[in-house]
Amino acid sequence: MLPDLTATQVVSALKTDGYDCTTDVAYAVCRKGITSIGVLTGTHPRPPVLSVQASGQVDVAWGEISNSLPRILELAHVNQPEIAGWFDQQKGKPIAQQAFGDWLVDISAEVDTEEPGVHLTLTDKLCKTNCQAE
């Protein structure tokens, strides 16, 4: 069981793993290839929201997230490795939601939009205040 990391520590771990990170209002956004990870910043004991997105054709975007998700979960100390397997099982579904421990996980696949891609969001169910960006 890995200890919780603050948002700052998660961003630092992502930078060390080769992600290019910038700050965008309430989120730190870390990018590598077509994948971006949004980390909601603040003073919480762990990030209230982690958002993993890949842009482009849905099959390609899904594969990109699928390949990088186990490492992202490890770097962020999300102690629910089964999320990666569940994500793989949802391929082809436009939306899905599941709870894993203290995390609520949402998937959406955008096919016929101006910005196609796949979005995976992990929300900390234990967070009580300032848990979403404005």
Side-chain angles (χ1 to χ4, degrees):
M1 191 78 141
L2 299 170
D4 289 338
L5 296 179
T6 65
T8 301
Q9 291 170 318
V10 170
V11 171
S12 179
L14 291 167
K15 284 181 179 178
T16 300
D17 204 56
Y19 285 84
D20 180 31
C21 300
T22 59
T23 302
D24 180 15
V25 189
Y27 281 88
V29 179
C30 299
R31 293 180 173 82
K32 185 191 285 186
I34 64 169
T35 302
S36 66
I37 303 165
V39 181
L40 184 61
T41 57
T43 59
H44 304 86
R46 64 183 184 186
V49 178
L50 291 171
S51 176
V52 182
Q53 302 174 25
S55 58
Q57 181 185 13
V58 170
D59 286 345
V60 173
W62 203 290
E64 188 70 23
I65 292 176
S66 181
N67 288 337
S68 59
L69 188 56
R71 180 69 176 150
I72 292 167
L73 296 173
E74 178 185 350
L75 291 169
H77 286 198
V78 175
N79 291 302
Q80 302 295 328
E82 65 274 18
I83 292 171
W86 174 80
F87 177 80
D88 288 340
Q89 294 171 358
Q90 306 314 305
K91 187 172 183 177
K93 296 180 183 177
I95 59 171
Q97 184 178 70
Q98 179 75 34
F100 295 90
D102 297 328
W103 295 97
L104 180 61
V105 183
D106 292 282
I107 300 170
S108 66
E110 305 289 333
V111 179
D112 295 323
T113 65
E114 289 182 22
E115 295 183 31
V118 177
H119 308 273
L120 171 73
T121 304
L122 290 83
T123 306
D124 182 1
K125 297 187 309 183
L126 298 178
C127 186
K128 302 298 181 209
T129 59
N130 300 319
C131 304
Q132 295 288 337
E134 295 293 322

